[in-house]
Amino acid sequence: MVPIITDYHAVRRLADDIRANVSKVMVGKEQLIDRLFIAMVTSGHVLLEDVPGTGKTLLAKSISKSIDCTFKRVQFTPDLLPSDLSGIYFYNQQSSAFQFRPGPLFTNILLADEINRATPRTQSSLLECMEERQISIDGVTHQLEEPFLVIATQNPLEQQGTFPLPEAQLDRFLFKLNMGYPTSQESVDILKRFKDNQPLESLAAIAASESIVQARQIVNKVHVSDEMLAYIVSLAEHSRRDEAVASGVSPRGCQALLKAVQVQAVLQGREFVTPDDVKELAVPAWAHRLKLRGTLQSRGGAAASEEVIERLLQQVSVPTEEGISS
């Protein structure tokens, strides 16, 4: 296990250790691992959108084993009920009293596989736990464990029998990420690695779940100048005024990006945020929050939203170097 996290250097070492450990299983996904680390440290959640077989479940399991935390996977289907996630109170005849049986939401990392196949009612049951880290069942509030990370997946190709995620739920996800296909060399390395054994089975924990909570307290102190705050707000306001956008980045989106870039700065070896941190994470943090006008939403989809964010990054003035670290 890693030592107690007391400063920025320890947070960066923690991220390096987790990346190296997960890379014993995953090939060529270092950036993706870092962004999952950012999500966990910032109490965010991640939406993974990609075709089956690209390693989404394997990545989630590798992260959970590396941090020595609990992991549960739920296959979302149209008949999945909210109580199947949260748990139920049942009558225990031996004790002659009602007893709570917790559902899979009571974990550190929850893989919500093909989340868009569940009904809106079940999808909405995730909102409270994702935002508040608690679940209300029969009038009783239950606190969730820390850290708590939802990794939701959806297949962009198969849309029959699915229920698109509403904007309110999309806004709860810190990042929307894509696994992507490996390169030719990475594909060869994957075949070699998995030819004789399953590396996930021998993967050992190199950090305690408490380390993530400690890291969260450290990164909250990363310096963000007033100029950088104004830069983030300006980008969000431009998204709301863009001709192609019907609904721009919300204040929650601004807060999410702010927390993410604080961790990104630490991963880059800095104690203050720069415009490069914002440019690095603006697309995965904001593109899924945009609702485009008219046919752009259906025709362009995620690519069109990403283009809007990229255009805003080119249009909005960047803070001067003197005001970044002051």
Side-chain angles (χ1 to χ4, degrees), residues 234-252:
S234 180
L235 286 169
E237 290 177 342
H238 276 71
S239 76
R240 300 164 195 164
R241 297 194 295 265
D242 193 282
E243 294 180 353
V245 179
S247 178
V249 177
S250 67
R252 182 189 287 119

Side-chain angles (χ1 to χ4, degrees), residues 6-165:
T6 57
D7 55 29
Y8 301 114
H9 300 294
V11 175
R12 190 181 185 188
R13 288 194 299 269
L14 174 63
D16 291 342
D17 291 342
I18 292 175
R19 186 190 316 112
N21 201 55
V22 176
S23 294
K24 296 177 181 178
V25 178
M26 306 298 299
V27 177
K29 301 299 180 184
E30 289 79 8
Q31 184 185 74
L32 205 60
I33 297 169
D34 282 348
R35 290 180 179 175
L36 285 173
F37 176 80
I38 291 174
M40 183 167 284
V41 171
T42 59
S43 298
H45 307 284
V46 173
L47 179 62
L48 279 178
E49 184 177 82
D50 223 316
V51 296
T54 50
K56 298 184 290 292
T57 301
L58 188 63
L59 175 62
K61 288 183 177 180
S62 301
I63 290 285
S64 64
K65 291 195 70 173
S66 297
I67 305 176
D68 190 25
C69 59
T70 56
F71 169 84
K72 292 181 181 177
R73 175 185 177 275
V74 178
Q75 182 67 47
F76 277 55
T77 56
D79 60 348
L80 188 72
L81 299 176
S83 58
D84 295 329
L85 296 175
S86 60
I88 59 172
Y89 280 93
F90 70 98
Y91 186 75
N92 190 327
Q93 294 183 344
Q94 294 182 347
S95 60
S96 299
F98 282 94
Q99 182 177 337
F100 179 62
R101 178 183 295 155
L105 285 178
F106 289 86
T107 186
N108 293 123
I109 296 180
L110 172 70
L111 179 64
D113 215 356
E114 295 189 292
I115 187 174
N116 56 334
R117 292 200 176 277
T119 62
R121 178 188 177 192
T122 301
Q123 292 178 13
S124 64
S125 67
L126 284 175
L127 292 181
E128 181 185 11
C129 67
M130 291 174 67
E131 187 70 18
E132 305 296 336
R133 267 54 180 185
Q134 65 182 28
I135 306 174
S136 298
I137 305 170
D138 293 341
V140 180
T141 299
H142 302 265
Q143 296 296 326
L144 296 178
E145 301 179 43
E146 286 288 353
F148 177 65
L149 171 68
V150 174
I151 302 177
T153 73
Q154 59 181 9
N155 183 353
L157 300 181
E158 297 180 4
Q159 298 301 317
Q160 185 175 0
T162 63
F163 302 88
L165 299 182

Side-chain angles (χ1 to χ4, degrees), residues 190-209:
I190 291 173
L191 294 179
K192 288 181 179 179
R193 183 171 297 183
F194 287 84
K195 180 171 64 71
D196 297 323
N197 54 39
Q198 170 56 265
L200 180 64
E201 296 177 357
S202 58
L203 196 67
I206 49 86
S209 58

